[in-house]
Amino acid sequence: MTDCIFCKIAAGKIPSEKVAETDTLFAFRDINPMAPAHILIIPKKHIPNNLALTDDDRLVVGDAYLLANRLARELGVAGAGFRMVTNNGPDAGQAVFHLHFHLLGGRPLGWPPG
Ligand code: 5GP
Ligand code: ZN
């Protein structure tokens, strides 16, 4: 999608602090980190949010969680604990309408979230 900021980041047209890339996924540091480790994992394919997922996307969602495990270990937060969060729609505060998984860790995370 041409006017989507995360499509541009995945394509390298907008710079980001990349931490990992696969055929179908791109992972980079959040520009406004909410925790010492705050990574965004996105499918390269433009998917607006969780509600827009189809059967064709099953593999990419599973791969995103497996990549999160790898990154959590590499970033040293796997043992202490981390969180994967996807915001959907206004009440959840979704600001970017390209599906993304927040990987958060490196500090105690409150529950319930705000
Ligand atoms: P949402 O509220 O949609 O779940 O979260 C969007 C996230 O994207 C926010 O945490 C915000 O800081 C991050 N973000 C927005 N624009 C950019 C950008 O241009 N670069 C990076 N690295 N992160 C961004
Ligand atoms: Zn997009």
Side-chain angles (χ1 to χ4, degrees):
M1 198 181 169
T2 49
D3 63 347
C4 169
I5 189 165
F6 282 3
C7 281
K8 288 179 182 164
I9 285 176
K13 290 175 186 160
I14 290 179
S16 69
E17 275 189 69
K18 180 171 99 169
V19 292
E21 183 173 7
T22 72
D23 284 352
T24 57
L25 295 166
F26 195 86
F28 55 104
R29 291 191 184 274
D30 196 292
I31 204 166
N32 184 24
M34 294 294 150
H38 188 172
I39 306 298
L40 299 173
I41 300 173
I42 65 172
K44 289 183 174 176
K45 172 186 170 185
H46 182 81
I47 303 169
N49 66 14
N50 209 76
L51 288 165
L53 287 166
T54 70
D55 283 355
D56 290 345
D57 303 318
R58 285 176 173 173
L59 202 56
V60 77
V61 173
D63 285 346
Y65 273 82
L66 293 171
L67 179 58
N69 288 346
R70 191 188 108 195
L71 292 176
R73 291 187 182 104
E74 287 176 7
L75 294 165
V77 300
F82 64 97
R83 188 174 288 164
M84 284 276 275
V85 181
T86 299
N87 295 317
N88 290 279
D91 273 3
Q94 183 180 7
V96 177
F97 285 81
H98 179 128
L99 178 65
H100 50 281
F101 302 95
H102 295 258
L103 165 55
L104 294 153
R107 66 168 172 82
L109 300 165
W111 190 265

